[in-house]
Amino acid sequence: MRTTRSAALLLGAALIVAACGGPGGGTASAPQSSASGDSVQAALDAGGSITVWAWEPTLEKVVTDFQAKYPKVKVNLVNAGTGNDQYTALQNAIKAGSGVPDVAQVEYYALPQFALAKSIADLTPFGADKLEGTFTPGPWGSVRSGGAVHGLPMDSGPMALFYNKEVFDKHQIEVPKTWEEYIEAARKLHEADPKAYITNDIGDAGFTTSMIWQAGGKPYQVDGTNVTVNFADAGTQKFTAAWQQLVSGKLVAPVGSWSEAWYKGLGDGTIATLVIGAWMPANLESGVKAGAGKWRVAPMPQWEAGGQATSENGGSSLAVPEASASKALAYAFMKYAAVDEGAQSRADNGAFPATTAQLNSPAFLDKKLPYFGGQQVNQVLAQSAGQVVSGWSYLPYQVYANSIFNDTVGKAYVGDATLQDGLKAWQDASVKYGQEQGFSVR
Amino acid sequence: MTATDVNVNKSSREYPVALKRSWAGWRFVAPFMAVFALVFLAPIAYSIYLSLFRTQLIGGTTFVGAGNYVKALSDPRFWAAFGNVAIFLVVQVPIMLFLALLVALVIDSGRLYGTSFFRISVFLPYAVPAVVATLMWGFMYGTRFGLIGNLNERLGLSLPDPLSADLMLASIGNIVTWEFVGYNMLILYSALRVVNPSLYEAAQIDGAGQLRVIWAIKLPALRGALLIATIFSIIGSFQLFNEPSILRVLAPNVITTYFTPNLYAYSLSFSGQQYDYSATVAIVMGVITMIIAYVVQLRGMRKGA
């Protein structure tokens, strides 16, 4: 009973190790110490083999193109899980000291945790610090700490309201512009069709923190190893007061995101909206074929009528683990994927770029997406990118904090506790863990 | 233990020459001892070693002696996890063993048509990997798209949600019972097969009915096998992991990261990076399991004497 799971994990790890040790041998003879882009170019000339852990779908084409351009380099693209699953595998590989990839996809919220543990390399020796201005300020700020650059931004997730127009038309409901209207729409919709819900939610740490972010809450204050956690501020309360009405009124579908039932609901109209990051279009197109032509994108609902505040939800960077033996070559690939030809190819294939060149290009902005009935979706998303509320920060151990979100805030979804109670419990647990880890947390 | 000691003493006294050759025996068991040390003793020793330290994101690794043990014994999450498996043990194990006993007796009674068919079909769930079994039951438990959902819709019922906080332990118990009745039945059934048939003949001549035969012959013969099955089940309950960890995907708000001790140890080490504390929790739970299994064994043997 007990051993199967851990055996599966070990087997998985073994397979990954085997994959890394395939023909061509993982380690390239790349000069590590010499500074600047010379070493990167030298690594490309020398060739070799690197392993990349990522789940982002548009990277597959980037890898093919990269290998075509640099035939001496072999890139093994491995999907080691999405989000937390991959971080777990990565942390274990780093701890074990073997099977560590050369490049790993790491979401912005998880980056500080890896940087703090010194598991990922500073990229300034390769010239990453000179890329300021290449990326939009939000994502660039997320990969920097102190003088170091811990990753190259790959995409970003300014939030927007994705909605199923067919459902709204059928029940003659206005697309909400404020959260007040959103709650009203939730009631109307569920009354008109008891099987339909405005959205799904069973407690999602990423969504909740993004919502608090938009409402102006700043629950996490981080200054080096001094950390403050406070979910009692005005912004947080604004969010909980509104969202509690949806949860208590059973107006949100009790379906987990990315589950089978979720995709089904997005396709058949029983989940009518998603407030989610700008990377969603590619996922809708590939995962919810039944929704083609029905979905549209509108600006994120506001807390005050006429407001223009948004927040980020997800978004990833590419980082180089400190244990990688081919850092220069790894960086060469990352730069190709995040800055050079790869950035364009990924934007063309539905990723939401973090590079200003792509974001400002008319070809990107004016593209009409057939899945969204020909709507110029990127216009809405790019506008949201410019309205992100500033001053937000995540915990330096957000990966762990998110993993216990459902232990605490989850109680508000299945019992009598309120969201505010749940967030207080989450705060206490996060403070306790931070103190155990040697932070000074209040 | 004592019996073997006596034998060794006796034989060495009678054959003093054997002493000189005593290394030959070690050489025979050396391959086993090497593997045993490598895969059993070494991990335990390493866990104990780990449990004496504390590694922090800020500040690195420090020696804390028994600090982690003190923390574990006063950790409400650990005791909540322990409480769950204790309830599980007290409720699920008797039900499962009673069912297994019933099936074993029925199959052994010789009055059943197609015995081997029943034997194999009761045993079959044990051959289904626990992960697959749990996924399967998880689909059936679903109130939206699962079997429960379909029943509710077709028959207009409103069955309670098996994945709700109140019913979760019972739902897991149901899965585990389904998986392990056949396994325990086989242990009991094989014990029944070795009963000397002349006892049944004698009973028949004495005019004993089936129930009397069960009570006076079969149950006493099953005592040892039942004890073994009980101890296996106790260990299994305390190590509950697969079922809750898979159902967690369906009900993350009900199954916490500390729902069972193993799940807690798993979360501590893989999400929390607290390998040291995780090792401590694992060791404490291992010791508790050993104590309880040992007590049960002692009691079982005393009754048997």
Side-chain angles (χ1 to χ4, degrees):
Chain A
M1 277 156 71
R2 162 199 55 137
T3 44
T4 327
R5 173 88 184 236
S6 43
L9 268 176
L10 280 176
L11 186 66
L15 284 175
I16 288 159
V17 172
C20 302
T27 52
S29 53
Q32 295 296 319
S33 48
S34 66
S36 90
D38 297 349
S39 65
V40 177
Q41 190 54 47
L44 276 173
D45 294 341
S49 163
I50 54 168
T51 299
V52 178
W53 281 10
W55 64 85
E56 212 275 333
T58 61
L59 273 179
E60 229 165 280
K61 186 171 181 329
V62 173
V63 167
T64 317
D65 295 349
F66 180 77
Q67 292 185 128
K69 188 173 177 189
Y70 302 103
K72 281 188 185 168
V73 185
K74 167 98 183 69
V75 180
N76 303 308
L77 183 62
V78 179
N79 184 342
T82 301
N84 246 344
D85 292 345
Q86 199 244 51
Y87 305 142
T88 302
L90 185 60
Q91 278 168 336
N92 290 336
I94 289 168
K95 172 95 179 160
S98 70
V100 184
D102 301 294
V103 176
Q105 177 177 355
V106 180
E107 285 161 279
Y108 298 126
Y109 82 84
L111 213 49
Q113 179 157 340
F114 285 100
L116 200 71
K118 299 195 169 47
S119 338
I120 50 176
D122 176 15
L123 301 175
T124 49
F126 304 107
D129 48 334
K130 296 181 189 75
L131 293 173
E132 184 163 14
T134 308
F135 300 103
T136 50
W140 181 246
S142 308
V143 298
R144 297 208 50 156
S145 76
V149 179
H150 288 114
L152 293 187
M154 186 166 71
D155 57 12
S156 68
M159 291 183 103
L161 174 72
F162 291 71
Y163 66 98
N164 189 325
K165 185 168 185 292
E166 204 181 65
V167 175
F168 278 78
D169 287 350
K170 186 177 161 198
H171 300 294
Q172 294 172 338
I173 300 170
E174 290 271 306
V175 177
K177 291 191 175 59
T178 64
W179 288 111
E180 210 172 307
E181 289 174 20
Y182 189 82
I183 295 166
E184 197 46 48
R187 285 212 179 87
K188 268 195 200 159
L189 175 63
H190 195 57
E191 262 169 42
D193 179 359
K195 278 190 172 177
Y197 295 90
I198 191 85
T199 190
N200 71 294
D201 186 23
I202 56 166
D204 176 333
F207 173 76
T208 302
T209 45
S210 289
M211 288 291 287
I212 293 172
W213 181 344
Q214 188 214 11
K218 292 184 175 59
Y220 305 126
Q221 301 286 350
V222 182
D223 174 21
T225 59
N226 292 312
V227 177
T228 315
V229 186
N230 174 23
F231 279 104
D233 66 1
T236 306
Q237 287 180 358
K238 222 194 264 181
F239 161 70
T240 52
W243 208 256
Q244 187 68 52
Q245 299 176 44
L246 293 180
V247 175
S248 305
K250 300 203 184 305
L251 296 172
V252 285
V255 169
S257 298
W258 313 106
S259 68
E260 207 52 47
W262 185 67
Y263 285 112
K264 198 162 178 264
L266 293 176
D268 67 14
T270 52
I271 298 174
T273 75
L274 286 177
V275 181
I276 207 163
W279 34 261
M280 195 60 205
N283 290 289
L284 275 175
E285 282 177 41
S286 64
V288 193
K289 301 256 191 293
K294 299 177 188 169
W295 286 81
R296 298 289 183 277
V297 183
M300 192 177 183
Q302 296 295 316
W303 291 103
E304 278 137 41
Q308 289 194 326
T310 62
S311 55
E312 294 269 350
N313 180 230
S316 308
S317 63
L318 291 174
V320 180
E322 195 64 73
S324 162
S326 328
K327 291 201 187 71
L329 193 56
Y331 182 78
F333 171 77
M334 274 165 50
K335 185 155 177 293
Y336 178 91
V339 182
D340 303 333
E341 293 94 323
Q344 187 58 47
S345 133
R346 294 184 44 257
D348 292 343
N349 286 297
F352 192 80
T355 36
T356 42
Q358 272 74 29
L359 264 180
N360 295 333
S361 89
F364 173 76
L365 289 172
D366 299 338
K367 199 159 97 178
K368 293 179 177 161
L369 300 186
Y371 185 93
F372 295 90
Q375 187 191 359
Q376 291 174 325
V377 168
N378 291 335
Q379 299 267 12
V380 184
L381 300 177
Q383 192 192 5
S384 171
Q387 299 171 343
V388 173
V389 175
S390 63
W392 174 270
S393 65
Y394 285 110
L395 284 176
Y397 47 89
Q398 193 71 36
V399 176
Y400 175 75
N402 285 4
S403 81
I404 56 164
F405 182 82
N406 290 86
D407 287 357
T408 49
V409 187
K411 297 284 168 270
Y413 291 83
V414 291
D416 299 329
T418 63
L419 284 171
Q420 197 63 49
D421 296 341
L423 286 169
K424 177 74 173 74
W426 194 33
Q427 171 181 330
D428 293 344
S430 301
V431 168
K432 187 159 169 280
Y433 180 82
Q435 284 165 346
E436 282 169 9
Q437 291 298 329
F439 292 91
S440 143
V441 196
R442 278 182 296 115
Chain B
M1 282 295 253
T2 43
T4 6
D5 289 345
V6 170
N7 280 342
V8 168
N9 289 338
K10 210 166 103 189
S11 55
S12 54
R13 227 178 292 130
E14 281 174 15
Y15 309 104
V17 203
L19 270 178
K20 287 181 189 164
R21 287 204 301 257
S22 62
W23 283 108
W26 281 107
R27 278 205 289 278
F28 275 109
V29 295
F32 165 77
M33 291 307 277
V35 175
F36 180 71
L38 191 72
V39 303
F40 188 78
L41 296 180
I44 290 181
Y46 183 59
S47 301
I48 294 174
Y49 170 77
L50 275 184
S51 72
L52 303 177
F53 292 88
R54 181 172 296 160
T55 305
Q56 297 176 310
L57 271 169
I58 308 292
T61 307
T62 42
F63 181 79
V64 290
N68 284 328
Y69 290 91
V70 173
K71 187 175 152 197
L73 292 175
S74 59
D75 182 346
R77 293 185 187 182
F78 173 71
W79 290 113
F82 179 78
N84 276 342
V85 288
I87 294 171
F88 188 86
L89 170 68
V90 171
V91 177
Q92 187 264 341
V93 170
I95 293 175
M96 175 179 68
L97 290 183
F98 177 74
L99 287 175
L101 179 66
L102 207 64
V103 177
L105 287 173
V106 167
I107 291 177
D108 187 61
S109 71
R111 300 187 165 194
L112 200 64
Y113 189 75
T115 312
S116 49
F117 169 75
F118 279 102
R119 203 172 54 206
I120 197 75
S121 45
V122 173
F123 183 70
L124 210 57
Y126 180 69
V128 176
V131 174
V132 177
T134 311
L135 285 174
M136 204 175 78
W137 279 100
F139 290 132
M140 290 201 265
Y141 285 159
T143 46
R144 281 179 65 83
F145 299 110
L147 181 68
I148 302 281
N150 289 343
L151 284 176
N152 282 344
E153 199 168 318
R154 295 277 156 76
L155 305 176
L157 301 171
S158 58
L159 297 171
D161 179 5
L163 299 176
S164 65
D166 296 337
L167 290 180
M168 184 56 86
L169 263 184
S171 300
I172 293 174
N174 179 43
I175 300 176
V176 175
T177 306
W178 181 84
E179 286 173 320
F180 285 93
V181 158
Y183 171 77
N184 289 299
M185 175 274 289
L186 214 64
I187 295 180
L188 301 178
Y189 179 71
S190 50
L192 284 174
R193 295 299 289 171
V194 300
V195 173
N196 191 340
S198 60
L199 286 175
Y200 298 143
E201 280 170 33
Q204 212 171 9
I205 290 165
D206 288 346
Q210 274 288 341
L211 284 178
R212 181 77 197 175
V213 168
I214 288 174
W215 194 251
I217 302 176
K218 293 189 175 180
L219 284 184
L222 278 175
R223 180 166 281 152
L226 264 175
L227 184 64
I228 294 287
T230 308
I231 290 173
F232 283 172
S233 303
I234 290 171
I235 296 172
S237 301
F238 281 153
Q239 295 189 340
L240 202 60
F241 178 81
N242 276 339
E243 291 79 6
S245 108
I246 289 166
L247 290 178
R248 204 176 123 68
V249 179
L250 300 174
N253 297 327
V254 175
I255 297 184
T256 54
T257 55
Y258 50 92
F259 193 74
T260 74
N262 269 9
L263 202 54
Y264 187 39
Y266 175 86
S267 323
L268 281 175
S269 94
F270 292 119
S271 327
Q273 300 293 295
Q274 293 166 302
Y275 299 98
D276 312 318
Y277 187 48
S278 171
T280 314
V281 166
I283 290 165
V284 170
M285 204 52 218
V287 169
I288 294 178
T289 309
M290 281 198 295
I291 291 172
I292 292 181
Y294 188 62
V295 167
V296 169
Q297 192 176 7
L298 275 188
R299 279 188 62 92
M301 296 221 294
R302 199 188 307 146
K303 268 192 225 155

